[in-house]
Amino acid sequence: MDWEIVIGLETHAQLSTHSKMFSGASTAFGAPPNAQACAIDIALPGVLPVINRAAVDRAVRFALAVGGQISPRSVFARKNYFYPDLPKGYQISQYEVPVVVGGSIRIETAAGVKIVQLTRAHLEEDAGKSLHEDFHGATGIDLNRAGTPLLEIVTEPQMSSADEAVAYARTLHALVRWIDVCDGNMQEGSFRCDANVSVRRRGDKRLGTRCEIKNLNSFRFLDQAIRHEATRQIELIESGGRVVQETRLYDPDRGETRPMRSKEDAHDYRYFPDPDLPPLVIDAAWVEQVRAALPELPVARRDRYEREWALSGYDAATLTQSREMADYFEQVVAAVGGAAQAKLVANWVSGELAAALNRDTLEMSDSRVSALALGGLLGRVIDGTISGKIAKEVFDAMWSAGAVESAAADRIIADKGLRQISDSGALEAIIADILRANPGQVAEVRAGKEKAFNFLVGQAMKATRGKGNPAAINTLLRKALAD
Amino acid sequence: MALDEAAVRRIALLARIALSDAEIDTLQGDLNGILGMIETMQAVDTRGIEPMAHTVDMHARLRADEVTETDRHVEFQALSGQTEDGLYLVPRVIE
């Protein structure tokens, strides 16, 4: 039987504000339990929520980045349920009129390019945390996270494989970091996904019954959970069973999804507009102000690198994975005199530099070699002072010592005597020695064997300890052999 | 629309309100009275009128993104039944 998988994702992105959605308590991660839960967050009687302007600002920024519509007047609603980490007995969310409607995200997988349509994005507050470790049979409640602003981003059920879902999640993750609305820290729970998964026979127009898998906080778990859940549903139907709509959890240790032990009542949320909060009004002037401050988006930069700087699609995509990387790349290009050297810079940034960052598990912003310093190094490759090979050696030295200034490379080249030998007199003497020492190879070259020529070039490079200018050696060797 | 007894019991459960059989009976009557009144109001022609999300026609005041609250968990937890290591303790819940 041929099955089709249908996936929709709901992503909770924690907005990078200093204070909470509706209170002036701090959102900083890692504080002692309940040190950042104020009277509003713990729902003492008589308190009133007041909306954080910066959270709305970020929602508007997101809307502009995905081409969504910004509701000029959106409504906060109470989502009612009882759970100890939700002190009010309801979560303030948005229901009928969310702040962002529509928009889309462009994703790429091995299967090609796809546009994933967004249904909506709405503002809401996070709940606290329940700690189930042993407190004499009780559960411990930390409300520091309660009231933290979230943007819940919901897609249409449009993805048809775990690969597409992961590509979407990665693209969205990169985007929210790029536009600075969310720090994207998945270990700390700043970016987490719920996946709605259903299956249907290929060609069937109707959607199958879906299950929602909650709280997937890594791309790997998202991938595995979808694969396991789709397989489970297909096997269930093929063996004569029926999928029941429910919420499930992914257990990575056992490689399976299992139903959450909530009662069905948990989903009867009885939404209604929150009487404590009049509608949120966002006027055109506010939107324009946010638009004016919006950074150039990754897709636009990518196109510009391909169009104006003639980079390959692959290079352009690699360099625009994060805004820090793209900014660094552009600073190096500017330092070496512009567009003509963009390809060389791209190779270094996505090659040596990315490898070094990876090796030391550093973020771009913590690079041990500054853009200016890398520019200084590449300037010496461009003007022929050193070869590309020697440059790698200089780069390693710069990385170990840390390099900030543009002259860092020059100092290392001088200290280690790495300056390339381009002087004809010096090279000619070396070449003469090599020809004398290798009469057999010389005869082979004269008989037309190119391999022997490469051997002689190699000997000359070795004699100069890698510092000989390869182009000069080539020319002078040809000349010497022709004599 | 009228609520039967089962619906009243379900609403009470969702709201975590414990009710005696006698109270259920009284409330069923009260609630159906309210619903009846709403049904009467449905007769008003509201075509072309945008539904309100709030009883007062105003929009939300916003605040600047500033941390203005300090750690007062000791005072707050003095009101609480059971705490430990800064955590509120509640009967065990497992998902």
Side-chain angles (χ1 to χ4, degrees), chain A residues 17-21 23-24 34-35 37-39 42 50-54 75 82 131-132 135-141 260-262 265 268 270 273 275 278-279 281 286, chain B residues 10 13-16 50-54 58-73 76-77 79 84-95:
Chain A
T17 57
H18 302 297
S19 64
K20 292 190 179 173
M21 184 70 221
S23 83
N34 292 303
C38 73
I42 68 171
V50 187
I51 300 167
N52 184 342
R53 173 182 283 274
V75 176
F82 286 93
L131 303 162
H132 301 296
F135 291 101
H136 334 290
T139 290
I141 304 291
M260 281 171 85
R261 280 193 273 172
S262 323
D265 285 340
D268 198 338
R270 295 150 291 140
V281 171
W286 188 358
Chain B
R10 183 172 153 74
L13 176 71
L14 285 171
R16 300 295 190 277
E50 203 186 323
M52 293 175 77
H54 201 271
M58 55 188 284
H59 53 78
R61 190 164 67 84
L62 305 176
R63 39 170 267 275
D65 181 24
E66 283 161 9
V67 176
T68 53
E69 298 286 345
T70 51
D71 178 6
R72 294 174 62 195
H73 82 276
F76 294 149
Q77 294 193 343
L79 309 168
E84 189 176 316
D85 299 340
L87 297 163
Y88 295 91
L89 294 193
V90 298
R92 196 167 178 82
V93 280
I94 295 182
E95 199 50 86

Side-chain angles (χ1 to χ4, degrees), chain A residues 127-200:
Chain A
K129 264 184 189 156
S130 303
L131 303 162
H132 301 296
E133 294 98 74
D134 196 26
F135 291 101
H136 334 290
T139 290
I141 304 291
D142 177 5
L143 297 174
N144 280 349
R145 200 180 64 182
T148 299
L150 301 176
L151 189 67
E152 180 173 334
I153 303 151
V154 184
T155 74
E156 292 290 307
Q158 273 188 335
M159 287 158 278
S160 52
S161 67
D163 283 351
E164 283 187 359
V166 171
Y168 163 81
R170 283 187 185 281
T171 309
L172 179 66
H173 182 253
L175 180 68
V176 296
R177 293 182 66 196
W178 187 287
I179 60 174
D180 231 353
V181 302
C182 168
D183 69 15
N185 190 324
M186 297 176 86
Q187 282 83 35
E188 292 177 4
S190 300
F191 186 92
R192 43 192 206 263
C193 295
D194 301 340
N196 283 299
V197 179
S198 66
V199 299
R200 62 182 169 192

Side-chain angles (χ1 to χ4, degrees), chain A residues 81-92:
Chain A
Y81 64 96
F82 286 93
Y83 205 76
D85 61 18
L86 187 75
K88 291 194 292 292
Y90 59 85
Q91 176 193 30
I92 306 178

Side-chain angles (χ1 to χ4, degrees), chain A residues 224-303:
Chain A
Q224 291 171 355
I226 290 171
R227 288 176 200 277
H228 285 296
E229 178 58 17
T231 307
R232 183 190 71 87
Q233 292 184 14
I234 291 167
E235 282 173 358
L236 185 65
I237 298 170
E238 287 187 340
S239 63
R242 211 167 52 84
V243 176
V244 181
Q245 184 167 343
E246 64 188 351
T247 305
R248 300 176 71 89
L249 282 178
Y250 177 60
D251 182 341
D253 296 328
R254 299 169 70 178
E256 60 175 30
T257 66
R258 53 184 160 78
M260 281 171 85
R261 280 193 273 172
S262 323
K263 299 195 186 90
E264 54 182 291
D265 285 340
H267 284 294
D268 198 338
Y269 292 129
R270 295 150 291 140
Y271 284 96
F272 63 89
D274 190 333
D276 285 346
L277 289 162
L280 168 65
V281 171
I282 301 170
D283 61 19
W286 188 358
V287 174
E288 285 320 306
Q289 201 185 325
V290 175
R291 195 194 305 275
L294 197 69
E296 185 184 22
L297 296 173
V299 174
R301 274 211 191 179
R302 222 176 118 164
D303 289 350

Side-chain angles (χ1 to χ4, degrees), chain A residues 386-388 420-421 427 457 461 466-476:
Chain A
I386 54 172
S387 67
Q420 184 161 259
I421 305 169
L427 291 175
V457 172
M461 288 304 286
K467 291 184 288 181
N469 179 333
I473 289 176
N474 252 284
T475 314
L476 293 171

Side-chain angles (χ1 to χ4, degrees), chain B residues 13-89:
Chain B
L13 176 71
L14 285 171
R16 300 295 190 277
I17 299 172
L19 296 173
S20 67
D21 289 350
E23 285 171 316
I24 297 249
D25 193 48
T26 312
L27 277 168
Q28 188 182 344
D30 290 350
L31 288 170
N32 280 327
I34 293 167
L35 289 174
M37 189 177 73
I38 292 169
E39 233 153 77
T40 309
M41 288 161 65
Q42 300 280 22
V44 179
D45 183 359
T46 54
R47 272 174 301 180
I49 295 173
E50 203 186 323
M52 293 175 77
H54 201 271
T55 48
V56 184
D57 186 19
M58 55 188 284
H59 53 78
R61 190 164 67 84
L62 305 176
R63 39 170 267 275
D65 181 24
E66 283 161 9
V67 176
T68 53
E69 298 286 345
T70 51
D71 178 6
R72 294 174 62 195
H73 82 276
V74 175
E75 289 163 86
F76 294 149
Q77 294 193 343
L79 309 168
S80 182
Q82 219 188 338
T83 59
E84 189 176 316
D85 299 340
L87 297 163
Y88 295 91
L89 294 193

Side-chain angles (χ1 to χ4, degrees), chain A residues 309-375:
Chain A
W309 290 358
L311 294 188
S312 68
Y314 178 82
D315 280 345
T318 308
L319 293 165
T320 50
Q321 272 169 2
S322 78
R323 197 162 121 205
E324 290 76 19
M325 191 176 210
D327 285 348
Y328 185 103
F329 166 66
E330 293 198 20
Q331 283 162 24
V332 181
V333 170
V336 297
Q341 305 298 341
K343 177 64 187 164
L344 174 75
V345 176
N347 289 345
W348 272 81
V349 171
S350 58
E352 294 301 305
L353 182 79
L357 289 169
N358 210 13
R359 194 174 56 232
D360 293 356
T361 53
L362 291 176
E363 292 292 321
M364 195 76 227
S365 49
D366 305 319
S367 172
R368 299 183 52 77
V369 172
S370 75
L372 209 59
L374 181 59

